[in-house]
Amino acid sequence: ATLRWNLETNSKDKSMTYQCIKAIAGFLNSPYGGTLYVGVNDDTSINGIEKDAFDDPDKAILYLTDKIETSLTGGVYVANMNFRPITVDEKVIIMVEVPPAITSPVYCKGPTKRDGRVFYVRKGTSTRPLTEEKTEGYIMERFGIGESE
């Protein structure tokens, strides 16, 4: 996946950014965190971020950190994440190391303005939303926050 270029439609697509933000939210909510590789496909083939048309990798990282700060709420501290451009096969990818949130759960603004906030978790190699009922149980178990306090 890239940050803002849809490889299937060969056009700029805001949903590509949302996919990255959603994955980061899922890593934050997991007990172990995780690593996102922007510019790498699910099959591990390398696309790079060149099609995103940033002037340089630092601009891509600034774009991503801004989107994280405006899209996620809760225990999100961008300063605790590690963003690193890496060149692989002459293509630049961005590695984002995401530690688990410690103090509170992280919610993601929905993909459109009509959508409310969404709670994402990692399930295997994918990021999934939880229902409101399952979210409450997960937050209670993972963060110790809930009605029994």
Side-chain angles (χ1 to χ4, degrees), residues 69-80:
E69 289 176 336
T70 59
S71 302
L72 302 181
T73 61
V76 181
Y77 304 100
V78 172
N80 292 340

Side-chain angles (χ1 to χ4, degrees), residues 9-120:
T9 63
N10 205 28
S11 62
K12 203 170 183 179
D13 183 346
K14 288 181 182 177
S15 73
M16 298 293 98
T17 302
Y18 188 77
Q19 296 304 314
C20 294
I21 299 300
K22 181 174 91 166
I24 290 168
F27 286 135
L28 285 162
N29 287 324
S30 81
Y32 310 107
T35 303
L36 175 67
Y37 295 93
V38 181
V40 179
N41 293 321
D42 289 341
D43 66 4
T44 71
S45 60
I46 307 293
N47 283 323
I49 60 164
E50 286 75 11
K51 285 201 179 247
D52 288 322
F54 290 101
D55 292 338
D56 58 58
D58 287 343
K59 296 269 196 283
I61 291 169
L62 284 171
Y63 171 83
L64 181 56
T65 57
D66 178 61
K67 293 298 181 184
I68 292 167
E69 289 176 336
T70 59
S71 302
L72 302 181
T73 61
V76 181
Y77 304 100
V78 172
N80 292 340
M81 296 178 200
N82 183 24
F83 299 84
R84 202 165 56 204
I86 300 170
T87 302
V88 179
D89 297 335
E90 298 181 19
K91 295 176 184 173
V92 176
I93 65 169
I94 297 173
M95 182 182 77
V96 185
E97 293 174 317
V98 183
I102 295 171
T103 57
S104 62
V106 173
Y107 289 88
C108 187
K109 289 181 182 174
T112 69
K113 291 188 182 199
R114 292 189 311 275
D115 298 316
R117 63 188 194 160
V118 182
F119 186 81
Y120 288 105

